[in-house]
Amino acid sequence: MLDSRFVRENVQDVREALKKRGYEFPLQEFLAIDEKRMVLLRETEELRNRRNVASEEIGRKKREKADATSELEEMRIVSDRISALDDQLKAVEDETKGLLLTIPNMPHESVPVGKDETDNTEVRRWGEPGKFAFEPLNHWDIAEPLGIIDFERAAKIAGARFALMKGPGARLERALMNFMLDSNTAKGYTEIFPPILVNRESMTGTGQLPKFEAELFRIADPEFYLIPTAEVPVTNIHRDEILKESDLPLYYTAYTPCFRREAGAHGRDTRGLIRQHQFNKVELVKFVKPEDSIDELEKLTGNAEELLQRLGLPYRVVALCSGDIGFSSAKTYDLEVWLPGQNKYREISSCSNFGDFQARRANIRFKRDGKKGTEFVHTLNGSGLAIGRTLVAVLENYQQQDGSIIIPEVLRPYMGTDRIG
RNA sequence: GGAGAGAUGGCCGAGCGGCUGAAGGCGCACGCCUGGAAAGCGUGUGUGGGAUAAAACUCACCGAGAGUUCGAAUCUCUCUCUCUCCGCCA
């Protein structure tokens, strides 16, 4: 959420910045309701002041057994007026807030300007896509003969876009999860295992609601949302809190299952593990001081990259352009891993700096030592990494001509074997 | 699921419907004291909005929302959360 005062005082800049996203800021609407709000606010405050003064006077008179009927009469009218104005003010404030909640974040100045994913810029590459003496297979063509992923039975049990992992497949999923958590905690991230059902406030805090309800699974009674990413519960750990300066930066890492409707994705990645309604992910989340967030994004991205490096998986880093970054993000790098079976790079991690956008929604502040008042923290997060897609990358990059899979060195302690099949 | 208790400032803990942004204590900060420390003494110590050059000033906030009243931390209702006991359960 943008700061209404900042928007009021910098309307044109805000408008320009959002235009880079292809978002047309509702200028007239905002200014109109904002003006209305200020007028109502001043009038009610003035009336309240009158009432406070008069009420004190009435109290004094009553104690002195003096007559106060004329004041009582007058205040009855003032109070009616106040409650009428209060109703209007409440309505206008709801309107303002409702509008602000649907406006996306402003891209950071370092974000390349562009329209869609074709304007994203590659920042760097690591590793060489391997040479195969045979035609490399898709991961489902590798996994099904090995009996380690069963899509058919998953469809019977749940439906399309679900998978069932079995034997070494299930073990590999767990190995990746443990490898990632162990690596992240060794880098100073505190391990979290949060609730995966959350309330509406949490979803609003990180920006999924109110705009993206259609992408979420919801339980009606009692109302809960299934998290689409650990970002939601972990960022909301500090909702409505005031942190101490010395608390920052805070680094968290969390494994959770993630649930997504994939409502607009009919026909995309219908086969295989790439796009599922339920998938596992290890997430990195940071709370930092405003002046540090740009550097912290580089460090966070580096931590995610290191996981791919240790797994020996070739990847590239892509800076998303202004038209392609997410709703809440000020700046995003995607990590794309090389998939020989598809002969292309596919997203495996998305690392974002949200600035104070989420912090303002979720009311996460900190107090500087020796300074008056509070400031919003900056929040960041990134996948470190999407486990299902990492498993796909391992299968496809480490496949052998005989149909077996070599297990990457760093996973062997977790797998108890160096080969599947 | 049944029965009961509670929610006040960083923490503990008072609070007759008006003079309570909130006693008292702890903690914290600064100062005095000391060779240095402890103890002791003194002063200060919430958040958000409006106004302002900055203040003064002003409005709101005692779990959330609604109500009664000229006036609510204090009375009424609803909800949320926490705790205790019983039942059930992984």
Side-chain angles (χ1 to χ4, degrees):
Chain A
M1 185 166 68
L2 303 178
D3 177 30
S4 64
R5 194 200 315 206
F6 178 83
V7 173
R8 190 185 312 139
E9 289 166 4
N10 303 277
V11 188
Q12 284 313 326
D13 292 345
V14 171
R15 200 176 166 198
E16 288 303 310
L18 291 176
K19 213 172 202 125
K20 292 183 192 165
R21 281 182 168 267
Y23 181 84
E24 194 56 51
F25 181 73
L27 188 70
Q28 302 305 329
E29 192 187 346
F30 175 82
L31 291 178
I33 58 177
D34 190 59
E35 170 66 18
K36 201 163 146 199
R37 189 175 72 87
M38 294 304 284
V39 169
L40 284 168
L41 188 68
R42 295 212 176 101
E43 190 179 348
T44 43
E45 285 202 352
E46 200 185 311
L47 284 176
R48 270 184 218 277
N49 180 237
R50 262 181 73 193
R51 184 174 72 181
N52 287 346
V53 171
S55 288
E56 216 167 297
E57 179 68 11
I58 291 167
R60 202 177 51 81
K61 283 200 171 178
K62 287 219 162 171
R63 249 173 288 121
E64 292 166 0
K65 310 278 188 218
D67 179 58
T69 36
S70 69
E71 285 91 339
L72 284 174
E73 201 43 55
E74 194 195 341
M75 283 310 109
R76 215 185 302 274
I77 294 163
V78 170
S79 274
D80 283 351
R81 176 75 183 142
I82 289 175
S83 61
L85 284 171
D86 260 349
D87 290 348
Q88 288 181 50
L89 187 60
K90 179 88 167 50
V92 173
E93 273 173 353
D94 286 351
E95 209 181 332
T96 310
K97 183 108 196 255
L99 178 62
L100 284 171
L101 282 174
T102 63
I103 296 171
N105 200 1
M106 295 190 292
H108 186 262
E109 59 200 15
S110 63
V111 170
V113 177
K115 206 160 144 288
D116 52 37
E117 69 273 8
T118 58
D119 294 321
N120 294 343
T121 58
E122 184 176 305
V123 177
R124 60 183 166 270
R125 284 187 188 214
W126 183 91
E128 282 293 318
K131 300 270 188 291
F132 289 86
F134 55 97
E135 188 65 26
L137 299 175
N138 264 311
H139 65 279
W140 58 82
D141 288 328
I142 302 166
E144 284 181 315
L146 287 169
I148 61 175
I149 307 179
D150 188 337
F151 290 104
E152 258 182 59
R153 288 196 174 104
K156 174 172 69 181
I157 297 164
R161 294 205 190 283
F162 286 91
L164 184 151
M165 321 292 287
K166 192 174 147 197
R171 179 76 180 250
L172 182 53
E173 184 88 8
R174 179 158 62 90
L176 285 166
M177 163 185 152
N178 285 330
F179 161 69
M180 292 174 193
L181 284 172
D182 288 346
S183 302
N184 295 340
T185 51
K187 291 287 173 189
Y189 291 83
T190 301
E191 186 168 343
I192 301 285
F193 190 70
I196 59 179
L197 296 181
V198 301
N199 56 33
R200 165 162 279 278
E201 289 71 32
S202 292
M203 282 295 183
T204 306
T206 33
Q208 281 74 20
L209 291 179
K211 233 179 169 175
F212 305 103
E213 177 116 35
E215 296 175 16
L216 302 170
F217 283 107
R218 185 169 72 110
I219 293 169
D221 185 26
E223 185 180 81
F224 285 114
Y225 290 87
L226 280 70
I227 59 168
T229 159
E231 159 192 353
V232 176
V234 177
T235 304
N236 277 282
I237 287 174
H238 296 297
R239 172 152 53 85
D240 292 322
E241 291 185 12
I242 299 174
L243 302 165
K244 292 194 296 252
E245 183 175 12
S246 57
D247 292 335
L248 302 174
L250 284 166
Y251 292 2
Y252 293 125
T253 185
Y255 153 77
T256 67
C258 303
F259 303 90
R260 297 187 184 177
R261 293 276 294 274
E262 297 297 345
H266 297 298
R268 294 182 63 191
D269 302 307
T270 49
R271 289 201 70 182
L273 220 50
I274 294 290
R275 197 172 298 276
Q276 300 277 296
H277 285 310
Q278 173 190 329
F279 63 97
N280 293 315
K281 183 157 60 69
V282 170
E283 188 77 359
L284 304 165
V285 177
K286 289 184 173 185
F287 299 80
V288 308
K289 291 195 265 184
E291 62 270 26
D292 298 332
S293 67
I294 280 295
D295 287 346
E296 292 282 2
L297 177 63
E298 300 300 322
K299 282 166 63 184
L300 185 147
T301 307
N303 291 143
E305 283 178 64
E306 204 175 316
L307 296 167
L308 289 170
Q309 291 171 13
R310 293 182 61 201
L311 288 164
L313 296 169
Y315 67 89
R316 62 175 187 167
V317 181
V318 173
L320 298 197
C321 76
S322 56
D324 200 31
I325 58 173
F327 175 78
S328 303
S329 173
K331 178 170 184 167
T332 299
Y333 292 115
D334 273 5
L335 266 45
E336 297 183 345
V337 71
W338 176 253
L339 295 185
Q342 297 195 8
N343 198 38
K344 60 179 150 185
Y345 286 98
R346 290 298 305 258
E347 177 185 341
I348 195 167
S349 171
S350 192
C351 303
S352 300
N353 177 7
F354 301 93
D356 63 8
F357 188 85
Q358 291 182 326
R360 183 171 289 108
R361 288 175 160 248
N363 194 28
I364 307 168
R365 293 169 293 170
F366 78 105
K367 199 180 180 66
R368 287 192 200 268
D369 298 337
K371 272 204 157 181
K372 261 253 180 262
T374 58
E375 292 174 52
F376 289 110
V377 302
H378 280 197
T379 58
L380 302 92
N381 68 56
S383 349
L385 302 159
I387 295 173
R389 290 188 181 182
T390 307
L391 188 140
V392 167
V394 169
L395 295 186
E396 294 196 7
N397 283 281
Y398 286 91
Q399 61 180 304
Q400 306 299 306
Q401 189 147 24
D402 65 0
S404 67
I405 308 294
I406 302 277
I407 300 299
E409 202 78 52
V410 292
L411 292 179
R412 289 179 193 173
Y414 298 98
M415 283 299 288
T417 177
D418 58 3
R419 184 179 281 265
I420 299 175

